[in-house]
Amino acid sequence: MAEKSKSAMSSVVETIKTIVYALLIAGIFRTFFFQPFWIPSGSMKDTLLIGDFLFVNKMAYGYSYASCPSIIAPGLGIDIGADDFCGFATEKEDRLLGRMPERGDVVVFRHPVTGRDFIKRLIGLPGDTVQMQGGQLFLNGDAVPQQDDGLFRETYEAQGPQGLRPRCANGAVGEGGECVKPRTIETLPNGVSYATLDIGEQALDDTGVYTVPEGHFFFMGDNRDNSTDSRVPQNLGGVGFVPLKDIVGRADRVVFSSAGRSLLHFWTWRGDRFFKAI
């Protein structure tokens, strides 16, 4: 009997050790190499769609406190941010093995106030001036070239686990109707091109001139009229200027994509987006 009890206890210990080792390996992987990220909103359409799953390359720009993993599960009451793991490094401006992000990169960063992960396109570098005039982007006083690229079409319906519905340029189309938005190809001074979407005349289509401070960056969503980004200051609920230390990494490729409310709804998987380059 004693031998059986001892054997059972040994089995439990081995199981616990296996779990601990697995968690350690996963933590090291997430901290230094790649972090999984689900796209929860439509602010980066049509580059990224709600339900896209990707890995964020943390090696691209080096490491800061923001490279530490975060564990957020509201349903379980868990809210552990990167600063909880690596709070000792939050005030350090330099990055270990640091490299500067490039204009046009799609970047994941920690919101400077809330600590939540955001994903946007890098538009303005330190020292740049950024402005929107009539829905057109101006960098350092020059208009960024735009080219009409037809329409982006999607079904007006609940999207993703949050059940978000898209905003449409063609008004209230009703459930199951065709929601469209004009699509434009924008080309930055370094040659990076990408599609932006437009819903119509909005408040942020015309802004003042933003001057990006040293050590900070200016981000915008590709779905311009449906994005909380650097155009709105942090004290008004926006992103504002993002410091280098808050950058997590670069998004390079969509690994998997599901258009449904649940990953288990295999009939909603988007096979054409598997391993799609961003």
Side-chain angles (χ1 to χ4, degrees):
M1 189 71 174
E3 285 298 323
K4 287 185 178 180
S5 177
K6 185 176 180 180
S7 177
M9 180 59 67
S10 176
S11 178
V12 169
V13 170
E14 287 302 315
T15 299
I16 293 173
K17 285 170 61 177
T18 300
I19 293 172
V20 170
Y21 291 151
L23 290 174
L24 284 173
I25 292 171
I28 292 171
F29 184 84
R30 286 194 56 168
T31 299
F32 294 105
F33 301 107
F34 298 96
Q35 174 178 316
F37 190 87
W38 281 99
I39 302 300
S41 74
S43 68
M44 282 294 292
K45 289 180 181 177
D46 66 338
T47 303
L48 296 171
L49 304 180
I50 294 175
D52 281 351
F53 176 77
L54 49 88
F55 282 102
V56 180
N57 181 357
K58 290 190 171 185
M59 299 175 284
Y61 311 128
Y63 306 96
S64 71
Y65 89 94
S67 304
C68 290
S70 58
I71 304 173
I72 300 174
L76 300 176
I78 300 174
D79 188 353
I80 304 174
D83 52 342
D84 293 314
F85 285 110
C86 299
F88 63 91
T90 54
E91 299 305 317
K92 294 183 179 180
E93 300 295 334
D94 294 334
R95 299 178 71 91
L96 178 65
L97 304 176
R99 289 177 293 279
M100 284 289 288
E102 296 184 11
R103 197 192 310 277
D105 285 355
V106 176
V107 177
V108 171
F109 57 89
R110 310 279 188 209
H111 189 287
V113 176
T114 68
R116 292 292 189 263
D117 287 342
F118 274 58
I119 185 165
K120 305 290 180 186
R121 191 176 298 278
L122 175 54
I123 298 296
L125 301 173
D128 281 346
T129 62
V130 184
Q131 185 179 22
M132 294 292 292
Q133 293 183 21
Q136 181 160 30
L137 173 64
F138 284 75
L139 275 176
N140 299 317
D142 296 325
V144 173
Q146 294 179 327
Q147 180 182 351
D148 178 72
D149 194 44
L151 296 174
F152 172 73
R153 305 172 186 274
E154 59 185 333
T155 302
Y156 185 81
E157 62 184 357
Q159 298 179 354
Q162 299 180 51
L164 301 177
R165 284 175 166 77
R167 297 177 64 195
C168 314
N170 54 332
V173 298
E175 192 73 14
E178 185 179 56
C179 176
V180 301
K181 287 181 273 288
R183 188 173 186 267
T184 301
I185 301 299
E186 198 168 76
T187 303
L188 296 173
N190 62 347
V192 174
S193 295
Y194 49 89
T196 65
L197 303 182
D198 178 53
I199 295 170
E201 188 174 336
Q202 305 287 319
L204 292 177
D205 286 344
D206 292 279
T207 71
V209 177
Y210 307 92
T211 301
V212 185
E214 189 64 31
H216 290 69
F217 300 88
F218 191 97
F219 290 94
M220 294 176 68
D222 291 349
N223 192 0
R224 290 284 162 79
D225 295 333
N226 193 36
S227 174
T228 300
D229 52 39
S230 292
R231 290 172 291 176
V232 179
Q234 295 163 14
N235 62 348
L236 296 178
V239 170
F241 302 118
V242 178
L244 177 62
K245 67 179 181 179
D246 285 336
I247 288 179
V248 176
R250 186 181 66 216
D252 294 327
R253 188 174 296 274
V254 174
V255 177
F256 175 84
S257 186
S258 173
R261 299 292 296 271
S262 169
L263 181 64
L264 299 178
H265 297 171
F266 62 88
W267 58 90
T268 66
W269 294 356
R270 305 183 184 106
D272 61 330
R273 296 187 65 79
F274 289 13
F275 303 104
K276 179 181 176 64
I278 295 173

